[in-house]
Amino acid sequence: MTENLLEISHLTHKFPIDRRESLTALDDVSFTLRRGEIFGLVGESGSGKSTLARCVMNVYRPTAGKILFNGIETTDPRAFRKNRAYLQSARQMIFQDSNSSLDPKWQAWQVIAEPMRLQHVTPKRGSYRAEAEFQMHYVGLDPLYLDKYPPELSGGQRQRLAIARALTMEPELLVADEPIAALDVSIQAQIVNLFRHLQQEHGFTFLFIAHDLSMVEFLCDRVGVLYHGRLVELATAKELYANPLHPYTQALLSAIPVPDPRRERHRVLPEFPDTFPTDGVWTEIGPEHFVLKGENH
């Protein structure tokens, strides 16, 4: 068993605009996810975070590069077909918009049981409903909601329902794409604490995609920074927040609000350019700290 569960190598993805032009969403991105870690991926909207998540989950077929999951090259159609059943159960995704990812016509217990039915998995607890009740309790949802429909639940409850659905397959990798962005601050904290509990208790590996840098610092072991499809910096969370080196990372972290309202009102933000460098050489400047280093920075 290798230390790395997920290996992304020189990943590039382009969306065709017309016959001659295309939009590059990911440009030569490489990094690994170690087993049992929570890896944070940050960047502003349009940086390529969701595209990367969908490439990892085989929703998109990358234009170039390789993705290995537990030694299986998922970007190879033949290898994917051969291991389809395993890959569909071992990798699960949690989306930002629970409204669109949950079928409004199904009751909560049916939503949770869906992956088991699709994969023809026999429920450990005797029935799909009993399994759904267990998973709901596990993520902090009262079993009274078993027969509720997603539109009858709050945003936080729907997100817990989506997490419960993902957990039924006991996945090795959870890809969470902006899972707290649409929630109130107090609910965000509850969901993040739930992720941490799940990781500590079961050793899941998380790819946690977010733009809330405070939550990423609290939750993640390592953090990668995407800018215009390029990975510009990668380090442990502690090192990245203490010593950001790429100008874009510095700009992102400088925008984190200060909890004290008085200090926040009088804080003077540093000036940054409208665009940041995306060229350079991927350089290790310290233990586990990499940065896209150009000639001028």
Side-chain angles (χ1 to χ4, degrees), residues 34 36-40 196 199 206 216-223 235-239:
R34 299 164 185 159
E37 82 168 333
I38 302 180
F39 186 98
R196 172 169 277 190
Q199 193 277 334
F206 277 85
V216 169
E217 182 182 19
F218 170 75
L219 180 66
C220 298
D221 302 304
R222 291 189 300 145
V223 181
T236 64
K238 183 178 180 180
E239 170 67 13

Side-chain angles (χ1 to χ4, degrees), residues 2 15 34 91 107 113-114 118 139 144 189 218 231 235 284:
T2 60
F15 292 102
R34 299 164 185 159
R91 308 171 304 167
Q107 293 173 313
E114 179 188 15
L118 290 175
V139 300
L144 291 173
F218 170 75
L231 192 65
E284 185 172 14

Side-chain angles (χ1 to χ4, degrees), residues 77-90:
R78 183 176 300 177
F80 176 78
R81 287 194 298 269
K82 181 180 179 181
N83 298 279
R84 180 190 297 270
Y86 164 70
L87 291 170
Q88 289 181 338
S89 62

Side-chain angles (χ1 to χ4, degrees), residues 154-173:
S154 69
Q157 290 169 337
R158 284 197 302 271
Q159 202 60 295
R160 288 176 185 268
L161 182 61
I163 295 169
R165 178 179 63 180
L167 294 181
T168 58
M169 301 304 294
E170 298 182 354
E172 297 173 50
L173 173 67

Side-chain angles (χ1 to χ4, degrees), residues 102-295:
L102 303 177
D103 192 326
K105 299 178 182 178
W106 286 1
Q107 293 173 313
W109 75 268
Q110 295 171 311
V111 169
I112 295 172
E114 179 188 15
M116 291 186 292
R117 290 192 301 102
L118 290 175
Q119 296 298 319
H120 307 290
V121 173
T122 302
K124 290 182 178 180
R125 291 158 186 89
S127 69
Y128 289 139
R129 186 181 177 90
E131 186 69 32
E133 182 174 356
F134 172 83
Q135 296 295 350
M136 285 182 70
H137 176 77
Y138 190 70
V139 300
L141 271 178
D142 195 299
L144 291 173
Y145 294 113
L146 272 171
D147 296 317
K148 296 287 186 181
Y149 294 90
E152 298 178 292
L153 305 177
S154 69
Q157 290 169 337
R158 284 197 302 271
Q159 202 60 295
R160 288 176 185 268
L161 182 61
I163 295 169
R165 178 179 63 180
L167 294 181
T168 58
M169 301 304 294
E170 298 182 354
E172 297 173 50
L173 173 67
L174 280 173
V175 177
D177 186 10
E178 300 272 13
I180 60 174
L183 304 176
D184 293 339
V185 174
S186 60
I187 305 300
Q188 287 182 1
Q190 293 176 22
I191 298 299
V192 166
N193 281 324
L194 175 60
F195 282 142
R196 172 169 277 190
H197 170 73
L198 293 173
Q199 193 277 334
Q200 291 173 345
E201 186 161 316
H202 290 282
F204 294 130
T205 303
F206 277 85
L207 176 57
F208 183 77
I209 296 170
H211 63 260
D212 187 324
L213 297 169
S214 299
M215 289 295 187
V216 169
E217 182 182 19
F218 170 75
L219 180 66
C220 298
D221 302 304
R222 291 189 300 145
V223 181
V225 181
L226 271 179
Y227 174 67
H228 286 193
R230 295 297 304 275
L231 192 65
V232 296
E233 192 160 1
L234 189 156
T236 64
K238 183 178 180 180
E239 170 67 13
L240 187 81
Y241 282 75
N243 184 31
L245 294 178
H246 194 276
Y248 179 64
T249 309
Q250 294 169 355
L252 280 181
L253 298 186
S254 72
I256 298 177
V258 175
D260 186 335
R262 288 175 297 180
R263 288 179 57 200
E264 176 64 23
R265 280 196 300 269
H266 295 94
R267 189 164 64 113
V268 178
L269 295 177
E271 293 187 6
F272 290 97
D274 294 331
T275 60
F276 298 90
T278 56
D279 57 342
V281 178
W282 192 242
T283 306
E284 185 172 14
I285 52 84
E288 293 196 286
H289 192 165
F290 298 84
V291 65
L292 191 66
K293 191 172 180 61
E295 294 181 359

Side-chain angles (χ1 to χ4, degrees), residues 23-34:
L23 174 67
T24 301
L26 293 171
D27 187 5
D28 197 28
V29 174
S30 299
F31 65 93
T32 61
L33 263 71
R34 299 164 185 159

